[in-house]
């Protein structure tokens, strides 16, 4: 009977030790998994910052060029509109090519 009790006690102590070892292995694996997720998150963060910087380097000069182009086009359109308006309100320009004598009669 003592042999059976010793076997059961040994089995109980062995299973506790195996459970503790498995638990610590699981805990270490969990820590490593969290560490891997942190590193993956850091890599993704660095990649996003790099993409943002690349976008700024590429998009800001393009946006500046487009803004300057649109401002030049706007200035040309304003000057053209001013000339057309001035031509309409003055009698110096006659679209038909006739003289303005018919207006004085």
């Amino acid at each position: 009977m003592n042999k059976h009790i010793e076997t059961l006690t040994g089995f109980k102590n062995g299973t506790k030790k195996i459970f503790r070892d498995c638990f610590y292995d699981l805990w270490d694996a969990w820590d490593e998994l969290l560490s891997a997720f942190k590193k993956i998150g850091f890599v993704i963060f660095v990649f996003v910052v790099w993409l943002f910087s690349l976008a700024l380097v590429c998009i800001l000069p393009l946006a500046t060029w487009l803004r300057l182009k649109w401002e030049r086009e706007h200035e040309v359109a304003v000057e053209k509109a001013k000339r057309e308006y001035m031509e309409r309100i003055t009698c110096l320009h006659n679209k038909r090519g006739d003289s303005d004598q018919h207006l004085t009669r």
Side-chain angles (χ1 to χ4, degrees):
M1 187 73 176
N2 286 339
K3 292 271 185 197
H4 293 297
I5 292 175
E6 286 177 20
T7 304
L8 290 175
T9 305
F11 180 75
K12 180 181 82 167
N13 291 338
T15 53
K16 281 184 183 178
K17 183 181 180 312
I18 290 172
F19 176 76
R20 236 182 278 123
D21 290 344
C22 288
F23 177 75
Y24 291 134
D25 288 343
L26 182 65
W27 192 258
D28 290 340
W30 178 255
D31 285 341
E32 290 178 17
L33 185 64
L34 284 178
S35 176
F37 281 139
K38 286 178 186 177
K39 288 184 182 186
I40 289 171
F42 182 72
V43 167
I44 290 172
F45 174 74
V46 167
F47 186 69
V48 166
V49 168
W50 180 78
L51 281 178
F52 181 71
S53 301
L54 182 67
L56 285 179
V57 167
C58 293
I59 290 176
L60 284 179
L62 178 65
T64 302
W65 179 76
L66 286 173
R67 181 182 54 83
L68 292 173
K69 179 183 168 205
W70 292 332
E71 285 177 358
R72 275 185 261 131
E73 289 175 356
H74 177 70
E75 289 173 2
V76 168
V78 166
E79 288 298 321
K80 183 179 176 185
K82 280 183 187 176
R83 272 188 270 118
E84 289 176 358
Y85 180 71
M86 292 304 288
E87 288 173 357
R88 270 192 251 130
I89 63 169
T90 60
C91 296
L92 299 176
H93 182 70
N94 191 354
K95 290 186 179 183
R96 289 183 287 169
D98 297 336
S99 63
D100 291 334
Q101 293 176 0
H102 68 282
L103 294 176
T104 57
R105 288 190 215 171

